[in-house]
């Protein structure tokens, strides 16, 4: 069992607080965006890839725990099987520490940090 600073439930609770109007379909689009960013770094820049996979993990966690999405659940299980999983979860903790300090804006249901 993982022991990370930012548990899946804590990430879901943070998303409810910070993104009250978030919709599942917008989160699925965000997941695709983050997967594309991770894919672009794969095999090129390991540190950037780990950071992008941390973003994938955050988005997938919100999908799974907030919206009960099987897509989010399966991406989460996939990450758990990767040999780099511990590094990804460490990067996720660091990213969440940054995310809680950010200001966020909502533009037509799409949340971005400003």
């Amino acid at each position: 069992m993982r022991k990370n600073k930012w548990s899946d439930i804590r990430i879901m609770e943070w998303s409810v607080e910070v993104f009250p109007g978030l919709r599942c379909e917008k989160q699925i689009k965000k997941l695709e965006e983050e997967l594309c960013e991770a894919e672009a770094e794969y095999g090129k820049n390991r540190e950037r890839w780990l950071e992008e996979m941390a973003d994938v993990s955050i988005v997938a966690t919100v999908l799974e725990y907030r919206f009960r999405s099987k897509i989010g659940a399966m991406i989460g299980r996939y990450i758990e099987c990767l040999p780099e999983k511990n590094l990804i979860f460490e990067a996720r903790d660091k990213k969440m520490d940054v995310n809680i300090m950010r200001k966020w804006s909502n533009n037509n249901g799409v949340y971005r940090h400003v």
Side-chain angles (χ1 to χ4, degrees):
M1 177 156 197
R2 280 188 285 118
K3 294 287 185 190
N4 295 84
K5 179 178 180 180
W6 283 89
S7 70
D8 294 341
I9 298 299
R10 189 168 173 211
I11 289 171
M12 183 271 298
E13 291 170 343
W14 167 82
S15 81
V16 170
E17 180 182 324
V18 176
F19 313 123
L22 186 63
R23 305 214 18 148
C24 185
E25 59 271 13
K26 299 288 186 181
Q27 194 70 352
I28 289 171
K29 281 185 98 163
K30 182 67 174 168
L31 178 62
E32 185 170 347
E33 182 182 304
E34 296 298 348
L35 285 166
C36 288
E37 291 175 9
E39 181 183 37
E41 297 299 338
Y42 184 76
K44 297 175 186 169
N45 183 327
R46 187 166 193 253
E47 287 306 309
R48 283 292 306 141
W49 177 77
L50 290 169
E51 291 171 9
E52 295 301 339
M53 287 302 293
D55 289 339
V56 168
S57 178
I58 292 166
V59 174
T61 296
V62 172
L63 277 167
E64 179 180 5
Y65 287 88
R66 183 171 176 176
F67 298 110
R68 303 288 186 234
S69 164
K70 291 294 180 192
I71 295 168
M74 290 306 297
I75 294 288
R77 298 308 75 76
Y78 171 76
I79 291 171
E80 292 270 358
C81 294
L82 293 174
E84 301 91 352
K85 69 180 178 185
N86 291 333
L87 295 172
I88 292 169
F89 290 120
E90 286 174 19
R92 183 176 90 164
D93 282 347
K94 289 177 187 172
K95 184 59 148 259
M96 286 303 303
D97 287 341
V98 170
N99 283 346
I100 62 169
M101 303 303 291
R102 288 180 161 153
K103 300 282 187 232
W104 298 87
S105 68
N106 178 355
N107 185 11
N108 295 323
V110 176
Y111 289 87
R112 301 267 183 218
H113 57 84
V114 291

